[in-house]
């Protein structure tokens, strides 16, 4: 693969986009309202906040329902086949809405579109799509929408560029908690994963730009920031000077935002320096998402994960030593090509050994263009389904045991909303990352409340207020 360098979008290029935004805004027949449909990870959720910010700059207001919007944009995911199928199903359904709103414009963007050859294929098959663009062109939405409104043919733009665009308008989903992207792309090429192909090469934002964004968020009253990247542990690679993720965390800690979290971490890049920073930073929350993917060395090797079970467990031990009681979560894949029952047993046992507070479990989904998709011995669906059910059962048992450590403990909860089950309760997340329900009202939303944990219900904790 040819070497690719990060492409910093210049202030002039961004000014040009703002100019396009103003031109769209002035068009008498432009869409009046928009709706963004998001699939996939936090990175996509944050990209959708940027799409919304740009659309508001163009004078559009958000429609609560996609049926009521003049412009609907699907920000897609392709990490597994079902994410792709769901997106395409919904895009097709929207075609019917156009019969009642002929002005409706349909756009598709994100990872699914960024796959080689995909944009052309989709537009051929789904002729009612007006606009399609990839992850590297997100900042160009004003220009692309302008061209769409001027033309009666579909507009497509997908480039293989590793862009970094600073200072885009962002319409954040929440006032109390905010995402900050610190790095884009991934260079790890785990053999099952499509992400390095659709999100491009790893590139880090300048530390000063991140710190500036964090300071602004603190000034606006944000209580929690979530640092985002496919592999935040390798933050700083390719930047000048002595930078690392641990150093970034320490600098952010000094700003004084109450809560700092991050995801995702690759175990091979989890350094002692970072573990030490986790233990010392006051505002970095005692939680860690550390995808293990599998419990067997041979499968880990074929997944190209570049760590062994023992090395993984060693990092877990060190994390627990540095941050007693730390909340641990993970991602696990079952049914990777060639996975034997014996190897799967190693996944069951690592889940029991670690005791995760929660785990995202997935059936392996072959992704075209990845190394694993061409491996022999793909696992039949019924075998994979049986394994995932056993894994979920093992995880639930481990989770109940792990979460019992919270009973009787004090916890600080950032209240996110009213409880779905009761009108007199609210819910949010504790410092360790576990969901907590507590007595409260709408006035508590966005506040940090101290509670004593009294019980455990399903996957959440129940707390009593102590202030
Ligand atoms: N099939 C199943 N799960 C996958 N993931 C990534 N690629 C695949 C795939 N092809 C999972 C990994 C990753 C999470 C975001 O999605 O567990 O950590
Ligand atoms: Fe995919 Fe592996 Fe990169 Fe995570 S680290 S995004 S699983 S290639």
């Amino acid at each position: 693969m040819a070497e690719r360098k990060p492409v910093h979008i210049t202030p002039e290029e961004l000014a040009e986009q703002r100019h396009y935004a103003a031109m769209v805004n002035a068009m008498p027949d432009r869409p009046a309202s928009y709706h963004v449909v998001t699939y996939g990870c936090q990175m996509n959720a944050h990209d959708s906040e940027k799409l919304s910010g740009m659309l508001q700059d163009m004078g559009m207001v958000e429609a609560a329902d996609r049926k009521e919007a003049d412009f609907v944009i699907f920000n897609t995911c392709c990490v597994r086949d079902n994410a792709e199928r769901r997106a395409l199903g919904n895009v097709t359904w929207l075609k019917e809405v156009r019969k009642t709103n002929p002005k409706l414009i349909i756009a598709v963007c994100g990872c699914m579109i960024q796959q080689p050859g995909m944009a052309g294929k989709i537009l051929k098959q789904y002729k009612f799509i007006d606009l399609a663009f990839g992850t590297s062109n997100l900042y160009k939405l004003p220009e692309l929408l302008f061209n769409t409104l001027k033309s009666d043919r579909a507009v497509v733009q997908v480039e293989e560029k590793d862009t970094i665009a600073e200072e885009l308008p962002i319409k954040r989903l929440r006032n109390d908690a905010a995402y900050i992207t610190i790095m884009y792309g991934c260079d790890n090429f785990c053999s099952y994963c499509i992400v390095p192909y659709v999100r491009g090469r790893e590139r880090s934002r300048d530390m000063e730009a991140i710190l500036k964004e964090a300071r602004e968020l603190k000034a606006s009253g944000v209580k929690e920031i979530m640092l985002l990247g496919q592999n935040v542990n390798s933050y700083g690679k390719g930047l000048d000077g002595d930078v690392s993720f641990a150093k970034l965390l320490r600098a952010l800690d000094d700003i004084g935002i109450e809560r700092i979290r991050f995801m995702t971490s690759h175990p091979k890049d989890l350094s002692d320096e970072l573990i030490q920073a986790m233990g010392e930073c006051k505002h970095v929350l005692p939680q860690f998402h550390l995808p293990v993917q599998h419990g067997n060395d041979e499968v880990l090797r074929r997944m190209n994960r570049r760590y062994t079970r023992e090395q993984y467990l060693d990092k877990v031990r060190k994390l627990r030593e540095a941050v007693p009681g730390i909340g641990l979560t993970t991602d696990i894949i079952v049914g990777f090509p060639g996975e034997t029952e014996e190897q799967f047993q190693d996944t069951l046992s690592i889940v029991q050994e670690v005791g995760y507070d929660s785990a995202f479990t997935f059936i392996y989904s072959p992704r075209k263009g990845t190394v694993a998709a061409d491996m022999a011995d793909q696992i039949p669906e019924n075998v994979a389904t049986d394994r995932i059910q056993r894994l979920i059962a093992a995880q639930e048992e481990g989770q109940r045991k792990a979460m019992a450590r919270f009973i009787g403990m004090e916890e600080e909860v950032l209240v996110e909303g009213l409880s779905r089950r009761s009108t007199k309760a609210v819910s949010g997340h504790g410092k360790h990352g576990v969901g907590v329900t507590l007595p409260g009202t709408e006035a508590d939303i966005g506040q940090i409340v101290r509670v004593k944990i009294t019980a455990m219900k399903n996957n959440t904790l129940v707390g009593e207020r102590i202030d």
Side-chain angles (χ1 to χ4, degrees), residues 76 95 203 209 354:
T76 60
K95 192 172 98 177
R203 54 215 185 266
V354 175

Side-chain angles (χ1 to χ4, degrees), residues 376-401:
D377 205 5
Q378 302 279 325
I379 302 295
E381 205 181 310
N382 60 332
V383 175
T385 309
D386 171 64
R387 286 183 187 163
I388 201 165
Q389 283 165 353
R390 283 149 64 204
L391 174 61
I392 292 169
Q395 166 52 24
E396 281 177 354
E397 195 196 318
Q399 184 166 342
R400 268 194 302 277
K401 282 191 202 149

Side-chain angles (χ1 to χ4, degrees), residues 39 77 79-88 362 365 367:
Y39 299 90
C77 169
V79 80
R80 282 170 296 277
D81 184 52
N82 54 1
E84 241 175 53
R85 267 182 299 154
R86 261 194 316 140
L88 287 172
F362 307 107
S365 166
R367 306 282 68 207

Side-chain angles (χ1 to χ4, degrees), residues 79-80 192-193 291 293 331-333 362-365 367:
V79 80
R80 282 170 296 277
Y192 50 81
C193 187
Q293 311 296 2
D331 294 347
I332 304 173
I333 297 175
F362 307 107
I363 291 181
Y364 167 72
S365 166
R367 306 282 68 207

Side-chain angles (χ1 to χ4, degrees), residues 143-423:
E143 178 182 346
L144 296 172
L145 186 53
F146 179 81
N147 291 341
T148 308
L149 295 170
K150 286 272 179 203
S151 150
D152 14 303
R153 298 189 48 198
V155 170
V156 190
Q157 190 157 39
V158 184
E159 286 164 345
E160 279 218 349
K161 273 202 314 194
D162 300 328
T163 51
I164 300 183
E166 294 292 347
E167 307 282 342
L168 289 180
I170 300 178
K171 181 189 175 277
R172 299 199 182 260
L173 290 166
R174 285 170 61 180
N175 298 323
D176 55 339
Y179 294 126
I180 302 184
T181 305
I182 63 163
M183 50 93 67
Y184 302 88
C186 182
D187 285 352
N188 287 313
F189 291 92
C190 299
S191 62
Y192 50 81
C193 187
I194 190 83
V195 168
Y197 302 88
V198 293
R199 287 269 176 187
R201 296 291 55 76
E202 232 172 81
R203 54 215 185 266
S204 293
R205 283 178 73 192
D206 284 333
M207 194 149 140
E208 209 27 69
I210 298 168
L211 295 176
K212 176 170 175 266
E213 188 173 348
R215 280 187 215 107
E216 285 167 3
L217 287 169
K218 176 169 167 33
S220 74
V222 162
K223 296 204 168 73
E224 182 179 290
I225 54 172
M226 163 78 113
L227 310 175
L228 294 180
Q230 244 73 43
N231 178 15
V232 292
N233 293 180
S234 68
Y235 170 79
K237 208 168 87 182
L239 290 183
D240 292 336
D242 186 20
V243 258
S244 67
F245 182 54
K247 292 197 175 74
L248 174 67
L249 272 189
R250 287 183 191 273
L252 285 164
D253 198 50
D254 288 340
I255 291 177
I257 292 178
E258 278 173 79
R259 295 160 65 122
I260 302 173
R261 333 160 45 196
F262 52 86
M263 80 189 308
T264 290
S265 296
H266 194 305
K268 79 172 163 55
D269 297 315
L270 169 48
S271 63
D272 288 344
E273 186 201 12
L274 174 57
I275 294 175
Q276 197 180 343
M278 288 290 299
E280 289 171 6
C281 290
K282 271 209 316 270
H283 301 285
V284 175
L285 294 183
Q287 52 175 272
F288 215 100
H289 184 66
L290 194 62
V292 66
Q293 311 296 2
H294 208 278
N296 175 271
D297 284 347
E298 169 59 16
V299 179
L300 286 171
R301 193 186 60 74
R302 287 191 300 112
M303 284 179 159
N304 193 28
R305 290 292 286 176
R306 284 170 282 170
Y307 53 82
T308 61
R309 174 189 177 104
E310 215 23 69
Q311 285 165 340
Y312 180 91
L313 288 171
D314 192 47
K315 305 236 168 166
V316 167
R317 274 191 291 272
K318 284 183 175 167
L319 274 172
R320 284 187 161 145
E321 245 168 62
V323 188
I326 191 168
L328 289 175
T329 55
T330 200
D331 294 347
I332 304 173
I333 297 175
V334 304
F336 185 77
E339 181 194 60
T340 64
E341 172 60 28
E342 215 181 352
Q343 290 169 333
F344 169 65
Q345 291 289 334
D346 287 341
T347 291
L348 288 181
S349 71
I350 204 166
V351 160
Q352 278 147 355
E353 201 166 331
V354 175
Y356 294 104
D357 289 329
S358 75
F360 297 99
T361 52
F362 307 107
I363 291 181
Y364 167 72
S365 166
R367 306 282 68 207
K368 200 164 164 255
T370 62
V371 171
D374 295 326
M375 284 181 182
D377 205 5
Q378 302 279 325
I379 302 295
E381 205 181 310
N382 60 332
V383 175
T385 309
D386 171 64
R387 286 183 187 163
I388 201 165
Q389 283 165 353
R390 283 149 64 204
L391 174 61
I392 292 169
Q395 166 52 24
E396 281 177 354
E397 195 196 318
Q399 184 166 342
R400 268 194 302 277
K401 282 191 202 149
M403 277 170 51
R405 76 186 185 285
F406 291 112
I407 308 281
M409 236 176 80
E410 283 184 16
E411 183 59 303
E412 285 169 17
V413 182
L414 175 59
V415 177
E416 283 153 40
L418 294 173
S419 156
R420 262 175 284 156
R421 294 215 179 86
S422 155
T423 51

